[in-house]
Amino acid sequence: MVGRLIQTAKSAYRYPLILKQLWHTPLLQSPAQEIVYRDRSRLTYRQLGERIARLASALSRLGVEPGDTVGVLDWDSNRFLEAFFAIPMMGAVLQTVNVRLSPEQVAYTIDHAGASTLLVNDEFVGLLEGLRPQLTKVKTLVVMSDRPRPETGSLPFAGEYESLLAEASSDYDFPDFDEDTQATTFYTTGTTGLPKGVYYSHRQLVLHSLCELAFFGMASQQGRFSRDDVYMPITPMFHVHGWGFPWAATLAGVKQVYPGRYDPAMLVKLIKSEGVTFTHGVPTILQMLLNAAAAAKTDLAGLKMVIGGSALPKTLAKQALAAGIDIFAGYGMSETGPIAAVAHVMSRDLSGDHDREVEFRTKAGMAAPLVDLRIVDEDMNDVPHDGKSSGEIVLRSPWLTQGYYNNPEGSEELWAGGYLHTNDIAVVSPGGYVHITDRLKDVIKTGGEWVSSLQIEDLITQCPGVEEAAVIGVKDDRWGERPLALVVKEPAETNGVTDTIVKSHLKTFADKGVISRYGIPEKIIFIDSIPKTSVGKINKKELRKRYGDV
Amino acid sequence: MVGRLIQTAKSAYRYPLILKQLWHTPLLQSPAQEIVYRDRSRLTYRQLGERIARLASALSRLGVEPGDTVGVLDWDSNRFLEAFFAIPMMGAVLQTVNVRLSPEQVAYTIDHAGASTLLVNDEFVGLLEGLRPQLTKVKTLVVMSDRPRPETGSLPFAGEYESLLAEASSDYDFPDFDEDTQATTFYTTGTTGLPKGVYYSHRQLVLHSLCELAFFGMASQQGRFSRDDVYMPITPMFHVHGWGFPWAATLAGVKQVYPGRYDPAMLVKLIKSEGVTFTHGVPTILQMLLNAAAAAKTDLAGLKMVIGGSALPKTLAKQALAAGIDIFAGYGMSETGPIAAVAHVMSRDLSGDHDREVEFRTKAGMAAPLVDLRIVDEDMNDVPHDGKSSGEIVLRSPWLTQGYYNNPEGSEELWAGGYLHTNDIAVVSPGGYVHITDRLKDVIKTGGEWVSSLQIEDLITQCPGVEEAAVIGVKDDRWGERPLALVVKEPAETNGVTDTIVKSHLKTFADKGVISRYGIPEKIIFIDSIPKTSVGKINKKELRKRYGDV
């Protein structure tokens, strides 16, 4: 079908959706707004803009060219934010290296992405020294540090970040170029196999930033983001671009605070002293924040926090609400930019009753604008939005990874049928709330019935004395599979809770019809801690390895 | 410069920015939300979606093909909203015909755009009968009406809108296509010459909708738009797509109210009965609303209203604030989509003091996200953002018209130097507020000094007894040009205000240094009314014709 085409990529009037365009309005409207790094430095937007130009000049002098990949190994800092802009705005590719992976995986991801330059926080010099022989493609190293004299070990650094910037020109003419130019890459660790590289174009990141602002801006009364907010990430910037918020916050021109390595006391101190109002993180981080705030007798009321990475447990959500935190879940993956949905609660459902509200706040929630979110059966037919029928979430949106880098098979599987497959199972209510019931790979089929491991986990954590729980399926000759629960007790309750208590707790829900009686595990094993992935998710791969034959 | 291109227009993963994508989230989240037409009909989003498919089926059966132009002559209605989606989503071009132009101009614009099909409200049958011989390219006419039996006169209508929809299939598979496909066209009447056709692509309209949501969503506390709002246009939908809000409101899934022809009593009634909270219009409409609300003893407190089309007079703004209306100016043109800037007031400047706040609320305000707004001198050099230095506003943004249809000279002038020229003169404060001081063509050069006609107009309207004022430059042998003021008195004050009073009023501002003493006109002419253009702006072309030789 052909209508009238009125613009081509070559048109003089073409406005490419590239990251430099995010800077027009903040420089006009918020030139003196602050960007704070720990208790160490404060920059204005104007200064940060200048440093971005200096970084590009410096990298250019070090030989970085359009199309090259530049890896960054750092905690959350203004330097990382500078790299978020300068590297892609030069036409190069920013690799946000996940420093929480195993050393072998760190080396694998840098090598697989083909990074030729690395910006390295000196905390990782030790790590990198051991990996240097494997990093055959890396030609240039730049060291970054909070100390006057950075640790450099035996590594041949081409320069120190601040000195390079000081010497570099602040005149760098960032050009217009094709919006489909690759801007970033990073690696995701799935449940199986090697880390997989996802990648994003300028166009995708600009649209993600814009939709994030539109989505969080138009929120009813809860969980909104505005020009008045003060933003701080507590999701590492190497993890799906800090959920894209560093770009969205810059576009909005708000005050930004970067906390470095996550030290609970420092986080609480910064929230208070800098007036942070908007953040995001995994459930473990929220628990840590609540504990640290209690220890420091600091009030976190008024803080808005999106929770992602794994499901937001209801008990934890209630604890946060009781502390005055506007807490709500988000949903997305490394492959989805990440924002797919967020538990914005419609005004009609904001009762002020915490018990009722957590039902909404802990869901995946509302799909973001422009997201074509479908819940489908195995043949890609839509299932009804009745709050009961479940299916796999498949997506189209303007900001999904096109595939996995150098992995055609994985890419084809990801995009089977023209939609991105999330492997997440969900129901949608008639009001449009999306509720994840399970991971496709975590669903347990027992005696012909499907049991949701997520739901059982959530119910077990509601049992007094339980801190955390994970449920996996184990082979069973009679039923095919049976659920097995791994449970961590609360420290103060080591002698209280037993497997009998947990089972009778679950039985009350089975009696009410909330779960099937097949969902009650025969076996409950108490363990000291639940293994997590590098981004804080329950590591079911590891659990299956350890307990799959129990 | 070439980085790594990772997507092409042909990629299977390409998500084109086309208008049908606006429908994903509202259909998921707000299927039962209402779209109200006067006191005549209520539709749900689901029903409207179905009617859009039926309209496309019906037009298709009438022979409309991708690339064809379909004109609509209607007041603001759900039918117009259906056309806003169905026609472009088929790959055809929606022409929003300005029915307030002179009959000759209406005929010219339909013919120049090459419309082959027209959807016509039966109120315009009389108008169209007279023009039929000139509309040689029009093959098909469809009549729309609020009456059971529409007036059709002598025109050979191919069908009536509702009957055609009833007969048509609700299955229409709106395809994906190139986002650069033309979606709309309409005509703008400049100060000289024939109406000029501007045109927009799907990509541009989707980005405009998204930025509008982001922009009005992230507003501090004032002038924001959220999921909780109820939207009603009081800018005609034929005027720059109703400022793009019908698309943005649909994307947000909010309740929408369409008022038909603007009858003040009906507008006030709908605002009250349907709970309208967000609207927009020209200053004249605001004045009309305030009068009608006073007459009906209706309280408009809580209404948010963006004012555009012409400058928002301070006295009128104060009147609106006193009535509890959150009033603020917007800035844009037919050529700019239209949103370029809006007078969102930063929290720090929201004092609650109306006299202080109107200073901010009546400016052009803050540039919208992604808008590259520059204030330049004649050589395209940026002037300082000091609140004093003035220059022409030039723009780049993702949604500017590429030019004027079939008018290469006009297009080239519009885009001289790679930026769209607005012909508006402005200053920018250090805090980023844009303040329009004049139209390039309306600026008066007298004795070597520039005098702002807009500023003098604004000051004259602040003089007690004055309702409205217009200032034009007239030739003067000694000074080159001198300002001439045309003034309309308030009805109740016909004997009070005199030219001496107006001059001494202006003199107080000259004494305080607010204006130069050259800005005080020698000649002040009292007239009954100031001629307006079809979209409510002061018609300076007409004034110069009438009074230029005075």
Side-chain angles (χ1 to χ4, degrees), chain A residues 237-411:
Chain A
M237 293 171 83
F238 60 72
H239 186 215
V240 207
H241 316 128
W243 299 356
F245 280 108
W247 286 307
T250 303
L251 177 57
V254 302
K255 178 173 171 182
Q256 301 180 52
V257 181
Y258 288 87
R261 187 175 192 151
Y262 298 160
D263 159 29
M266 171 65 86
L267 292 174
V268 167
K269 191 182 142 198
L270 287 171
I271 290 170
K272 211 63 200 171
S273 63
E274 300 298 338
V276 172
T277 59
F278 193 96
T279 189
H280 46 80
V282 293
T284 319
I285 284 277
L286 170 60
Q287 185 68 66
M288 197 180 80
L289 266 191
L290 289 169
N291 296 346
K297 295 194 168 48
T298 300
D299 183 8
L300 296 181
L303 183 68
K304 293 171 272 191
M305 187 170 190
V306 198
I307 297 294
S310 40
L312 170 58
K314 291 201 179 76
T315 40
L316 182 58
K318 275 187 218 173
Q319 232 183 305
L321 284 175
I325 298 175
D326 177 1
I327 199 79
F328 53 111
Y331 170 68
M333 325 194 304
S334 295
E335 290 84 345
T336 65
I339 299 291
V342 160
H344 284 140
V345 186
M346 301 295 260
S347 286
R348 62 171 180 272
D349 299 318
L350 283 170
S351 54
D353 171 349
H354 291 175
D355 287 344
R356 265 187 56 82
E357 280 194 10
V358 289
E359 295 296 327
F360 296 103
R361 290 173 178 268
T362 56
K363 289 190 204 303
M366 297 285 169
L370 300 191
V371 172
D372 178 8
L373 183 151
R374 295 171 60 199
I375 310 283
V376 297
D377 65 19
E378 284 167 10
D379 301 321
M380 290 288 281
N381 299 310
D382 291 277
V383 307
H385 296 173
D386 55 11
K388 287 172 205 155
S389 310
S390 66
E392 187 190 1
I393 300 179
V394 296
L395 299 168
R396 280 182 84 204
S397 92
W399 52 78
L400 306 176
T401 189
Q402 178 174 332
Y404 299 116
Y405 184 57
N406 269 353
N407 181 346
E409 263 180 50
S411 304

Side-chain angles (χ1 to χ4, degrees), chain B residues 56-276:
Chain B
S57 299
L59 290 175
S60 193
R61 221 163 59 178
L62 288 173
V64 173
E65 292 190 0
D68 288 353
T69 298
V70 180
V72 176
L73 290 80
D74 197 8
W75 305 117
D76 296 1
S77 65
N78 64 288
R79 294 179 298 245
F80 215 144
L81 185 63
E82 287 149 18
F84 260 48
F85 284 101
I87 295 168
M89 278 161 62
M90 299 173 68
V93 177
L94 165 72
Q95 181 184 8
T96 53
V97 179
N98 182 343
V99 293
R100 291 209 187 125
L101 294 177
S102 70
E104 293 69 33
Q105 286 181 318
V106 168
Y108 173 83
T109 61
I110 294 172
D111 188 62
H112 190 262
S116 53
T117 300
L118 296 181
L119 310 184
V120 187
N121 185 312
D122 65 351
E123 285 191 41
F124 306 113
V125 162
L127 166 74
L128 218 59
E129 274 182 320
L131 304 175
R132 192 67 188 92
Q134 298 166 58
L135 303 177
T136 52
K137 294 164 194 154
V138 174
K139 290 177 292 188
T140 310
L141 294 171
V142 172
V143 67
M144 306 184 291
S145 180
D146 288 353
R147 288 171 281 215
R149 286 168 177 264
E151 288 288 338
T152 56
S154 64
L155 291 172
F157 282 101
E160 185 272 328
Y161 190 89
E162 291 297 337
S163 317
L164 287 171
L165 258 58
E167 292 157 16
S169 163
S170 62
D171 269 338
Y172 188 98
D173 188 22
F174 289 106
D176 275 9
F177 47 76
D178 193 316
E179 64 191 28
D180 288 330
T181 302
Q182 187 181 343
T184 63
T185 187
F186 60 91
Y187 284 70
T188 174
T189 49
T191 41
T192 54
L194 289 162
K196 288 178 283 190
V198 298
Y199 46 97
Y200 294 95
S201 67
H202 280 259
R203 169 187 166 103
Q204 292 182 308
L205 299 176
V206 169
L207 288 171
H208 188 274
S209 307
L210 202 56
C211 269
E212 211 162 41
L213 271 196
F215 192 31
F216 284 84
M218 73 170 172
S220 291
Q221 301 159 37
Q222 165 276 325
R224 79 175 280 247
F225 182 78
S226 86
R227 282 188 196 277
D228 287 337
D229 277 303
V230 176
Y231 166 70
M232 179 172 85
I234 326 186
T235 303
M237 293 171 84
F238 61 72
H239 185 217
V240 208
H241 317 127
W243 299 357
F245 281 108
W247 286 307
T250 302
L251 177 57
V254 303
K255 178 173 171 181
Q256 300 181 51
V257 181
Y258 288 87
R261 187 175 192 150
Y262 297 160
D263 160 29
M266 171 65 86
L267 291 174
V268 167
K269 191 182 141 199
L270 287 172
I271 290 170
K272 213 61 201 173
S273 63
E274 300 298 336
V276 173

Side-chain angles (χ1 to χ4, degrees), chain A residues 4 6-7 14-15 29 69 176 179-180 182 203 217-219 224 227-228 347 367 370 396 402, chain B residues 4 6-7 14-15 29 69 176 179-180 182 203 217-219 224 227-228 347 367 370 396 402:
Chain A
R4 286 195 219 162
I6 61 168
Q7 282 198 327
R14 187 76 178 186
Y15 178 104
Q29 294 158 11
T69 298
D176 276 9
E179 65 191 29
D180 288 330
Q182 187 182 344
R203 169 188 165 102
M218 73 170 173
R224 80 174 279 249
R227 282 187 195 279
D228 288 336
S347 286
L370 300 191
R396 280 182 84 204
Q402 178 174 332
Chain B
R4 286 194 219 162
I6 61 168
Q7 281 198 326
R14 187 74 176 187
Y15 178 104
Q29 294 158 11
T69 298
D176 275 9
E179 64 191 28
D180 288 330
Q182 187 181 343
R203 169 187 166 103
M218 73 170 172
R224 79 175 280 247
R227 282 188 196 277
D228 287 337
S347 287
L370 301 190
R396 280 181 85 204
Q402 177 173 334

